[in-house]
Amino acid sequence: MPARPAALPAAGPLGVFDSGYGGLTILRQIRQFLPQYDYLYLGDNARAPYGSHSFEVIYRYTLEAVEALFQRGCPLVILACNTASAKALRTIQQCDLERLGGNRRVLGVIRPTVEAVCSLTRTRHIGVLATAGTINSGSYTLEVHKIAPDIVVTGQACPMWVPLVENYEFDSPGADYFVRKRIEGILRLDPDIDTLVLGCTHYPLLMNKIVKYTPPGVRIVPQGEYVAASLADYLKRHPEMAARLTTGGRCHYLTTESADKFRESAALFMHGKVEVEQIAL
Ligand code: DGL
């Protein structure tokens, strides 16, 4: 009997995951670059912030989120979260993907950001503002030095910044104190920094305050644009994956917190109404 042709892998939306609302800054940019695809966003708002959790906890939470997106048909998931990319991506790629169905993929946000940032600095001194988890992982320094070993990388954890965003306080006068403290802190650690990477997807929501306290000669680099461009390039190089993404430009949202709360906040971040469903991980 002739061998049966292998079943075609199912098509589905592109999955985008973050601990909370921060990944929406990445999703917005990705949809600008690739408006044709369908998207499924998952915010683990009930357990955010991830930033100060241990490796084991962040890995477990991220794996549960990836599994939930795979179960809902996503062939490809972007970890739109630096903390998850730093602490869980490599392990999931190396230890879990095969078991979860070897033809699905998970990508992160750190590598594309680093590839862009290495060509932006003139002084060869860059600063990374991120969660404690991302800074302590050393992932940015490691990735930068793979490309440019001469670049000096200084990290600064900003533990209050994600809670400010998650609690919708990013434009409040109280946010000024915490933003100023961390920017002055990192520039004191290395006054030669000319490029400041926002190494957390929540931080672009604090942009007004960040600009206010950053001296003019220092470039602020949010990562959404670079992640989106890198994803577009990945799909060009992997047409078999692009063909498995459904098209139509639809976007559906999942949250582990109350749907009403997410609907209200996400609508503000996304400048429009969002369709959201609460799930348990
Ligand atoms: N958006 C996540 C990141 O990029 C925030 C992490 C957190 O939940 O603390 O790191």
Side-chain angles (χ1 to χ4, degrees):
M1 205 161 56
R4 261 198 208 175
L8 267 181
L14 205 158
V16 178
F17 165 68
D18 181 43
S19 59
Y21 298 116
L24 296 173
T25 63
I26 301 287
L27 175 65
R28 213 174 30 223
Q29 295 274 0
I30 293 178
R31 288 186 80 194
Q32 272 170 20
F33 268 74
L34 300 163
Q36 68 272 37
Y37 296 118
D38 292 331
Y39 294 90
L40 183 58
Y41 182 89
L42 169 57
D44 190 7
N45 302 77
R47 302 191 292 197
Y50 279 14
S52 50
H53 288 314
S54 64
F55 165 83
E56 285 74 17
V57 170
I58 294 168
Y59 164 61
R60 178 158 52 83
Y61 286 179
T62 306
L63 182 59
E64 287 169 359
V66 167
E67 284 184 290
L69 289 167
F70 281 176
Q71 276 159 14
R72 284 164 179 79
C74 300
L76 173 63
V77 171
I78 309 298
L79 301 185
C81 174
N82 290 266
T83 312
S85 299
K87 298 267 195 179
L89 176 65
R90 187 63 55 83
T91 314
I92 290 176
Q93 285 175 333
Q94 290 176 354
C95 306
D96 299 294
L97 267 191
E98 199 58 40
R99 176 177 58 81
L100 298 174
N103 55 15
R104 299 179 194 269
R105 291 287 173 268
V106 183
L107 302 174
V109 290
I110 295 180
R111 181 75 196 190
T113 306
V114 162
E115 278 169 6
V117 99
C118 286
S119 61
L120 295 177
T121 174
R122 296 283 160 260
T123 60
R124 314 298 282 168
H125 287 247
I126 70 167
V128 180
L129 300 164
T131 66
T134 301
I135 297 300
N136 295 340
S137 74
S139 296
Y140 269 94
T141 311
L142 212 81
E143 291 297 333
V144 167
H145 286 165
K146 279 185 198 163
I147 297 174
D150 65 306
I151 291 182
V152 178
V153 184
T154 302
Q156 169 80 72
C158 311
M160 287 304 291
W161 289 19
V162 171
L164 284 169
V165 172
E166 286 292 307
N167 292 292
Y168 207 64
E169 292 285 341
F170 51 87
D171 261 335
S172 72
D176 283 77
Y177 170 79
F178 295 103
V179 171
R180 181 181 187 167
K181 179 175 175 178
R182 296 307 175 190
I183 291 178
E184 286 181 355
I186 195 166
L187 293 175
R188 238 193 331 268
L189 286 173
D190 181 358
D192 292 328
I193 288 172
D194 70 346
T195 306
L196 265 185
V197 183
L198 305 187
C200 172
T201 56
H202 281 68
Y203 295 177
L205 292 154
L206 287 158
M207 192 57 106
N208 291 341
K209 310 275 185 201
I210 295 171
V211 169
K212 187 168 162 189
Y213 295 109
T214 302
V218 177
R219 183 200 289 255
I220 304 160
V221 185
Q223 54 192 165
E225 189 187 325
Y226 302 114
V227 172
S230 163
L231 175 62
D233 179 59
Y234 173 86
L235 291 174
K236 215 175 276 165
R237 287 183 289 109
H238 294 86
E240 75 294 346
M241 177 55 82
R244 290 169 60 199
L245 297 172
T246 52
T247 54
R250 290 165 291 247
C251 192
H252 191 74
Y253 298 82
L254 305 171
T255 177
T256 53
E257 245 291 351
S258 119
D260 284 343
K261 189 170 175 241
F262 188 94
R263 194 174 292 114
E264 207 178 298
S265 304
L268 292 164
F269 296 137
M270 299 303 277
H271 313 299
K273 228 174 128 214
V274 306
E275 241 186 81
V276 57
E277 180 191 335
Q278 183 175 15
I279 63 161
L281 291 178

